[in-house]
Amino acid sequence: MKKAFHSIFAMILAGMAVTGCTDEVQFGDDFLNKAPGGTINLDSIFANPDYVNQLLTGIYNKQYYGLPYNNTEKNQAASPYNGKLDALTDLYQMHWSNCKVWTSYYSGTFSSKEDPLLSFTNDYVWETVHLVSLIKENIDRVPNMTDKRKRYIVAQAKALQAYAYSLLLPHYGGLPIIENTLSDAGNGVGERATFEETVNAIVRWCDEAKDDLYWAYNGNDAESSSLQTGRWTKAGVMALKAQVLWLAASPHYNTNTPYMSGASEAIEKNLVWYGNFDQSRWKRALDAFEDFWEENRKNGEYYHLYQATAKTLDGYRLAYRRGYMFDDSPENIHWTKVAGIYGTQGAYSWLNWNTWSVNRSNNHPTLEYIEMFPWSDGSPFDREKDMKAAGTSTGKDGSVWNVLTCLSGTYDKLFYTYTAVRGGFRKTYSRDPRLYENATVSGTLENLALQSPDGVAAGNIMELWVGGQNAGQCVKHPTDNTLVESLTSYCPTGFAAYKYVLNQIEWHRDPNMHWNVLTIPDMILMYAECLAENNRLSDAIAQVDLVRARVGMKSINSSYNSSKQLSTNKENLIEEILRERACELGMTNARYIDMVRRRRTDWMVKPLHGMATFRMIQNSQNQWIRRNSPYFGDDKNSGMTEPARFEYEVFELQQGKRALWGKDPNSDEVKKWLMFPFPQDEINKGYGLIQNPGW
């Protein structure tokens, strides 16, 4: 698929080309003091349509970007020294002891004197609000610009403000509602509105913007050219509205029971919740989703799931990957991008720090995450039933490990099945294809080229077993059988991150990788949850089946799930939807948002695990023994068949062991982590912020 060139960044580059190195292009607040071409004031900006367009472009430059890539004071979410929200869930574990995820969150020492992973003051929210207000207040002064163009610019500005607020809403609750310019952006923004008032403000901004925006930049005319891809659309704000209402209807906010005990001004004033439960909030969210789908139908199903052209593992994997990785994919409703690099590394540090030599930004999949992915026929994976005890092994330090196998006859079946044929065996995938796109596991071929026309993987297999070429001794020591779980290594949990990173062969694919804000798979699964909460269980199941069918999976309501009675049991169905969201939406912050909005503190307190894999070979006595060494190289060169049998040892993660593990999930000590604190410095200024409970 040919990727579009995007005007937001074309404008930046064009500005640089015109002004050269003697006159730096300015954006945002700096632009108000100096625009391209020399000293300029506010009157001059709004006397020139080009300057107004560039001011708008500067606000786009302040949108949240979810892959840590740079370390700047005013962009906390982008700093690799902080880490991702995903690493606070049960899906991933960081193994770099110098990032905030480890030092403040895993340790349980985070306080209101620190910036959270998404900052109230240092992620450009109030700068965005200030600049949006400047545009709204001054747009009528711009000459040589049609009214339609003015409305279009204001609509984009309102969309940018709605998005900025939506980012803070789940973590902070009610926010100051700013409709006018600030004399000092981000400082003294005003008192908090209630949670409900904040939700309604975001929805109102989306509603006000939608009719002055294009449904999509589909090239139907010059104004809606694909060169504009990346700007807010009518589809984008309608999807954002639905997402915000879905979030707000969730049990953390829409409930009769506050999440913390004891007196709290924020709870009493309904700043962190509605203060009661109202079923109509789920209906309001459902209506917003159905409005989106109806409008999408009117526009020829412009946004849709990317489908596989080959009904094979590689075909399903590529369809899934192309859906989120191509920025002009029909799945991407809105995305953000950044154009900077980190230091002298020449690429995003997200990519550079996920290489085999640095490994600082790796979010390592946990065994709990791996086990969420069902078998390839759709049936749930159950370690107690699907893996068998095969004795014990002893480490040099005296530790005793329970050994597990997962065999189908003679050979393994945990990730691939190996069926004996003349001259060797036939290898097929055994799990949900999305597993191989969210985590690297042993046996996966190292190169499935994104642009591959035939969708066939090639190269050597990934060797994540102890002593293998990729794992080495970063999981367990290959001769001592002692736990290593080493820091800044490739796969200390026994598995490696893959989504958005891919692997060493594939990762140099795009120096300006985008971040997906709103996607069709997310919309489908949010919609499914709204349907379930409105007791339309069969309709909800049909929606979940759409994302499963895209990767060749049977219905979630097939016979293997009969005991869950998904057609009649709403709670079980919602639990399955949450698991599907984890499998479909890895590395997108979705699991963290689900943990918060569903009050799943049980996810916060459960200890997490890794799993060591051991390659097995037959010796001269036909006994299966461990061979803790690479296959690629001498073994492969000598004609030895690809490893097809393994043993496994499960271990509780020790590195970065989280302070909350083992705590009472219903205690205030745990529940306070459902919301972020406002900076204590801002509270102390006395302009109206009220601190969130427990902080």
Short mmCIF file of all heavy atoms in Angstrom, two decimals, residues 571-597:
data_model
loop_
_atom_site.label_atom_id
_atom_site.label_comp_id
_atom_site.label_asym_id
_atom_site.label_seq_id
_atom_site.Cartn_x
_atom_site.Cartn_y
_atom_site.Cartn_z
N GLU A 571 -21.93 -10.69 32.50
CA GLU A 571 -20.65 -10.53 33.16
C GLU A 571 -19.56 -11.36 32.48
O GLU A 571 -18.44 -10.87 32.26
CB GLU A 571 -20.76 -10.92 34.64
CG GLU A 571 -21.54 -9.95 35.50
CD GLU A 571 -23.03 -9.95 35.21
OE1 GLU A 571 -23.56 -11.00 34.73
OE2 GLU A 571 -23.69 -8.91 35.45
N ASN A 572 -19.89 -12.60 32.13
CA ASN A 572 -18.92 -13.45 31.44
C ASN A 572 -18.58 -12.89 30.06
O ASN A 572 -17.42 -12.94 29.62
CB ASN A 572 -19.45 -14.87 31.30
CG ASN A 572 -19.39 -15.64 32.60
OD1 ASN A 572 -18.82 -15.17 33.59
ND2 ASN A 572 -19.98 -16.82 32.62
N LEU A 573 -19.58 -12.36 29.37
CA LEU A 573 -19.33 -11.80 28.04
C LEU A 573 -18.42 -10.58 28.15
O LEU A 573 -17.48 -10.43 27.35
CB LEU A 573 -20.65 -11.43 27.37
CG LEU A 573 -20.52 -10.75 25.99
CD1 LEU A 573 -19.71 -11.61 25.03
CD2 LEU A 573 -21.90 -10.46 25.42
N ILE A 574 -18.65 -9.71 29.10
CA ILE A 574 -17.80 -8.53 29.25
C ILE A 574 -16.38 -8.94 29.60
O ILE A 574 -15.40 -8.34 29.10
CB ILE A 574 -18.40 -7.57 30.31
CG1 ILE A 574 -19.66 -6.92 29.73
CG2 ILE A 574 -17.38 -6.51 30.72
CD1 ILE A 574 -20.43 -6.07 30.71
N GLU A 575 -16.23 -9.98 30.41
CA GLU A 575 -14.89 -10.47 30.72
C GLU A 575 -14.18 -10.95 29.45
O GLU A 575 -12.99 -10.69 29.26
CB GLU A 575 -14.97 -11.60 31.74
CG GLU A 575 -13.66 -11.95 32.41
CD GLU A 575 -13.14 -10.85 33.33
OE1 GLU A 575 -13.94 -10.01 33.77
OE2 GLU A 575 -11.93 -10.85 33.60
N GLU A 576 -14.91 -11.61 28.58
CA GLU A 576 -14.33 -12.04 27.31
C GLU A 576 -13.99 -10.86 26.41
O GLU A 576 -12.99 -10.87 25.70
CB GLU A 576 -15.28 -13.00 26.59
CG GLU A 576 -15.29 -14.40 27.15
CD GLU A 576 -13.95 -15.08 27.00
OE1 GLU A 576 -13.57 -15.42 25.86
OE2 GLU A 576 -13.25 -15.25 28.02
N ILE A 577 -14.83 -9.84 26.44
CA ILE A 577 -14.54 -8.64 25.64
C ILE A 577 -13.26 -7.98 26.14
O ILE A 577 -12.42 -7.54 25.33
CB ILE A 577 -15.73 -7.66 25.70
CG1 ILE A 577 -16.93 -8.24 24.93
CG2 ILE A 577 -15.34 -6.30 25.11
CD1 ILE A 577 -18.21 -7.44 25.09
N LEU A 578 -13.07 -7.91 27.44
CA LEU A 578 -11.84 -7.33 27.99
C LEU A 578 -10.62 -8.14 27.56
O LEU A 578 -9.57 -7.56 27.24
CB LEU A 578 -11.93 -7.26 29.51
CG LEU A 578 -12.98 -6.31 30.09
CD1 LEU A 578 -13.01 -6.42 31.61
CD2 LEU A 578 -12.71 -4.86 29.67
N ARG A 579 -10.74 -9.46 27.56
CA ARG A 579 -9.62 -10.29 27.10
C ARG A 579 -9.37 -10.06 25.61
O ARG A 579 -8.21 -9.95 25.17
CB ARG A 579 -9.91 -11.76 27.39
CG ARG A 579 -8.75 -12.69 27.04
CD ARG A 579 -9.20 -14.14 26.94
NE ARG A 579 -10.32 -14.30 26.03
CZ ARG A 579 -10.23 -14.24 24.69
NH1 ARG A 579 -9.05 -14.02 24.11
NH2 ARG A 579 -11.30 -14.38 23.94
N GLU A 580 -10.44 -10.00 24.82
CA GLU A 580 -10.28 -9.73 23.40
C GLU A 580 -9.61 -8.37 23.16
O GLU A 580 -8.80 -8.22 22.24
CB GLU A 580 -11.63 -9.76 22.69
CG GLU A 580 -12.14 -11.15 22.37
CD GLU A 580 -11.33 -11.83 21.28
OE1 GLU A 580 -11.03 -11.19 20.25
OE2 GLU A 580 -11.00 -13.01 21.46
N ARG A 581 -9.95 -7.40 23.97
CA ARG A 581 -9.31 -6.08 23.84
C ARG A 581 -7.81 -6.19 24.10
O ARG A 581 -7.00 -5.56 23.42
CB ARG A 581 -9.96 -5.08 24.79
CG ARG A 581 -11.31 -4.58 24.31
CD ARG A 581 -12.00 -3.65 25.30
NE ARG A 581 -11.17 -2.51 25.68
CZ ARG A 581 -10.99 -1.42 24.92
NH1 ARG A 581 -11.61 -1.33 23.75
NH2 ARG A 581 -10.23 -0.43 25.34
N ALA A 582 -7.43 -7.00 25.07
CA ALA A 582 -6.00 -7.18 25.34
C ALA A 582 -5.31 -7.83 24.15
O ALA A 582 -4.20 -7.43 23.76
CB ALA A 582 -5.81 -8.02 26.60
N CYS A 583 -5.94 -8.84 23.55
CA CYS A 583 -5.33 -9.54 22.42
C CYS A 583 -5.28 -8.67 21.17
O CYS A 583 -4.31 -8.73 20.40
CB CYS A 583 -6.11 -10.82 22.12
SG CYS A 583 -6.03 -12.06 23.44
N GLU A 584 -6.29 -7.86 20.95
CA GLU A 584 -6.38 -7.05 19.74
C GLU A 584 -5.61 -5.74 19.86
O GLU A 584 -5.05 -5.25 18.88
CB GLU A 584 -7.85 -6.75 19.43
CG GLU A 584 -8.08 -5.94 18.16
CD GLU A 584 -7.84 -6.71 16.89
OE1 GLU A 584 -8.00 -7.96 16.89
OE2 GLU A 584 -7.50 -6.08 15.87
N LEU A 585 -5.55 -5.16 21.06
CA LEU A 585 -5.10 -3.77 21.22
C LEU A 585 -3.85 -3.66 22.08
O LEU A 585 -3.67 -2.69 22.81
CB LEU A 585 -6.23 -2.94 21.84
CG LEU A 585 -7.57 -2.96 21.10
CD1 LEU A 585 -8.64 -2.26 21.90
CD2 LEU A 585 -7.43 -2.34 19.71
N GLY A 586 -2.96 -4.64 21.98
CA GLY A 586 -1.73 -4.59 22.75
C GLY A 586 -0.91 -3.34 22.47
O GLY A 586 -0.92 -2.81 21.36
N MET A 587 -0.22 -2.83 23.48
CA MET A 587 0.70 -1.70 23.38
C MET A 587 0.02 -0.41 22.95
O MET A 587 0.63 0.48 22.37
CB MET A 587 1.83 -2.06 22.40
CG MET A 587 3.12 -1.26 22.59
SD MET A 587 3.88 -1.47 24.21
CE MET A 587 4.45 -3.16 24.10
N THR A 588 -1.28 -0.25 23.26
CA THR A 588 -2.00 0.97 22.87
C THR A 588 -2.56 1.72 24.08
O THR A 588 -3.35 2.65 23.90
CB THR A 588 -3.17 0.63 21.94
OG1 THR A 588 -4.14 -0.15 22.67
CG2 THR A 588 -2.72 -0.14 20.71
N ASN A 589 -2.21 1.32 25.28
CA ASN A 589 -2.75 1.87 26.54
C ASN A 589 -4.15 1.35 26.85
O ASN A 589 -4.73 1.72 27.87
CB ASN A 589 -2.78 3.40 26.56
CG ASN A 589 -1.41 4.02 26.46
OD1 ASN A 589 -0.41 3.38 26.77
ND2 ASN A 589 -1.34 5.26 26.02
N ALA A 590 -4.72 0.51 25.97
CA ALA A 590 -6.10 0.06 26.18
C ALA A 590 -6.25 -0.73 27.47
O ALA A 590 -7.25 -0.59 28.18
CB ALA A 590 -6.54 -0.79 24.98
N ARG A 591 -5.28 -1.59 27.78
CA ARG A 591 -5.40 -2.40 28.99
C ARG A 591 -5.36 -1.52 30.23
O ARG A 591 -6.08 -1.78 31.20
CB ARG A 591 -4.26 -3.42 29.03
CG ARG A 591 -4.35 -4.44 30.19
CD ARG A 591 -5.52 -5.38 30.03
NE ARG A 591 -5.47 -6.49 30.96
CZ ARG A 591 -6.36 -7.47 31.03
NH1 ARG A 591 -7.41 -7.46 30.22
NH2 ARG A 591 -6.25 -8.45 31.90
N TYR A 592 -4.52 -0.48 30.21
CA TYR A 592 -4.47 0.40 31.38
C TYR A 592 -5.80 1.12 31.56
O TYR A 592 -6.32 1.22 32.68
CB TYR A 592 -3.34 1.42 31.24
CG TYR A 592 -3.17 2.26 32.49
CD1 TYR A 592 -2.39 1.80 33.55
CD2 TYR A 592 -3.82 3.49 32.63
CE1 TYR A 592 -2.26 2.54 34.71
CE2 TYR A 592 -3.70 4.22 33.79
CZ TYR A 592 -2.91 3.75 34.83
OH TYR A 592 -2.81 4.49 35.98
N ILE A 593 -6.36 1.64 30.48
CA ILE A 593 -7.65 2.32 30.56
C ILE A 593 -8.72 1.35 31.05
O ILE A 593 -9.57 1.71 31.88
CB ILE A 593 -8.03 2.91 29.19
CG1 ILE A 593 -7.02 3.99 28.77
CG2 ILE A 593 -9.44 3.49 29.22
CD1 ILE A 593 -6.93 5.17 29.70
N ASP A 594 -8.70 0.11 30.55
CA ASP A 594 -9.67 -0.88 31.01
C ASP A 594 -9.52 -1.16 32.50
O ASP A 594 -10.51 -1.33 33.22
CB ASP A 594 -9.52 -2.18 30.21
CG ASP A 594 -10.02 -2.07 28.79
OD1 ASP A 594 -10.70 -1.07 28.46
OD2 ASP A 594 -9.75 -2.99 27.99
N MET A 595 -8.28 -1.24 32.96
CA MET A 595 -8.02 -1.50 34.37
C MET A 595 -8.60 -0.41 35.25
O MET A 595 -9.20 -0.68 36.30
CB MET A 595 -6.50 -1.61 34.60
CG MET A 595 -6.09 -1.94 36.02
SD MET A 595 -4.31 -2.29 36.14
CE MET A 595 -3.63 -0.65 35.85
N VAL A 596 -8.46 0.84 34.81
CA VAL A 596 -8.96 1.97 35.58
C VAL A 596 -10.48 2.04 35.51
O VAL A 596 -11.17 2.07 36.54
CB VAL A 596 -8.32 3.28 35.07
CG1 VAL A 596 -9.04 4.49 35.65
CG2 VAL A 596 -6.83 3.32 35.42
N ARG A 597 -11.03 2.08 34.31
CA ARG A 597 -12.46 2.36 34.17
C ARG A 597 -13.32 1.22 34.69
O ARG A 597 -14.47 1.44 35.10
CB ARG A 597 -12.80 2.68 32.72
CG ARG A 597 -12.66 1.53 31.78
CD ARG A 597 -12.95 1.84 30.33
NE ARG A 597 -12.86 0.61 29.56
CZ ARG A 597 -13.84 -0.27 29.45
NH1 ARG A 597 -15.00 -0.05 30.03
NH2 ARG A 597 -13.68 -1.37 28.75
#
